[in-house]
Amino acid sequence: MSGSPQAPAYPDLVRDLADRGLLSGRWRQVFEAVPRSRFVPADVWRQLPDRCEPVVGRDAWLALVNSDEPVVTQLDDGVEGGPGVATSSNSMPSMVARMLGLLDVEDGKGRARAAGLDPAQLLDLGFALYAGARLPGVRLIHKDTEEGVQVWVTREDGAGATAATGEEVWQYGPGFLWEEIEEAWWEYESAGRPDAEQFGLTVTERGQHVWLRGPSEVIRPGKG
């Protein structure tokens, strides 16, 4: 007589990432020491092609958390009664592993400086839209902390930064990604901190453009 199937175990996920060549020996040790479940709240959703499906029960929660899938952690910017659009998630472990590999972090490579803004401000939905257009290729993940939030940002060229509320910013890789993010924030602030409803998207045969308040006000990518 067979019992009910067990939920996937986190070590199996780490082993799979390592077998796929996504984790170096040092990053594998970090993944093994810090399970993904520490950063995932109790109420989550699975992202389906056409909707977000609530995850019910501990076994279903573990199955999703210990898989190589994104975990939706917030809908509609936290406002009840919305259409059910994912506005925050815990990223796919394989994507996180790839970004960490691109950072090429070694002892002594990090650069610390005072933060010019609270990283919690980066979670503003309007800013996410603005920064997505100004800083293409930049990805952000975050977790809540007792003091506020901690964020990790990376770019396809290997640039990266991590910042937590009340602490210094650490930057890695080429360029000064955090300075570019701060500059984008002050541009957004100067524009009146527009909410998501003031942004639009124009799609043509030649590409797509995000605009603010009108199709003629296209948000151009920065030079970073």
Side-chain angles (χ1 to χ4, degrees):
M1 179 172 153
S2 61
S4 58
Q6 293 184 335
Y10 180 70
D12 295 332
L13 171 62
V14 177
R15 187 181 306 110
D16 175 66
L17 296 176
D19 290 345
R20 291 160 59 188
L22 299 176
L23 292 176
S24 65
R26 293 181 67 183
W27 280 123
R28 180 171 183 170
Q29 292 176 352
V30 173
F31 269 61
E32 289 174 338
V34 186
R36 187 187 190 192
S37 57
R38 293 187 184 179
F39 306 96
V40 181
D43 295 331
V44 298
W45 297 259
R46 183 189 298 274
Q47 180 69 68
L48 300 180
D50 60 342
R51 68 186 189 283
C52 293
E53 179 181 73
V55 175
V56 180
R58 179 68 177 175
D59 286 348
W61 187 89
L62 283 173
L64 180 58
V65 171
N66 292 333
S67 71
D68 190 24
E69 294 185 42
V71 179
V72 177
T73 57
Q74 184 190 72
L75 300 181
D76 306 317
D77 213 26
V79 179
E80 295 185 3
V85 176
T87 50
S88 184
S89 67
N90 183 283
S91 301
M92 291 175 61
S94 59
M95 186 187 77
V96 174
R98 288 188 179 95
M99 291 193 299
L100 291 172
L102 288 171
L103 286 176
D104 190 27
V105 177
E106 295 180 8
D107 292 341
K109 277 195 172 182
R111 307 183 299 273
R113 62 175 288 266
L117 73 162
D118 186 342
Q121 294 172 277
L122 306 186
L123 307 184
D124 182 285
L125 181 57
F127 177 69
L129 294 171
Y130 184 85
R134 284 290 284 158
L135 305 172
V138 174
R139 295 181 178 273
L140 179 147
I141 59 176
H142 78 280
K143 72 168 183 175
D144 294 330
T145 66
E146 292 184 359
E147 294 77 19
V149 301
Q150 183 171 5
V151 300
W152 296 264
V153 288
T154 59
R155 187 164 54 201
E156 295 166 347
D157 64 357
T162 180
T165 300
E167 298 182 10
E168 291 184 320
V169 176
W170 282 88
Q171 300 190 87
Y172 308 91
F176 297 90
L177 181 56
W178 190 259
E179 279 84 343
E180 294 178 41
I181 292 171
E182 289 182 347
E183 182 178 355
W185 170 264
W186 297 121
E187 292 174 0
Y188 174 71
E189 179 86 11
S190 298
R193 298 183 63 175
D195 57 31
E197 295 181 354
Q198 297 183 63
F199 292 85
L201 179 68
T202 298
V203 180
T204 68
E205 294 180 352
R206 291 180 292 181
Q208 60 184 34
H209 305 284
V210 177
W211 46 262
L212 174 60
R213 300 191 178 102
S216 63
E217 300 298 324
V218 175
I219 302 172
R220 307 289 182 185
K223 298 179 181 180

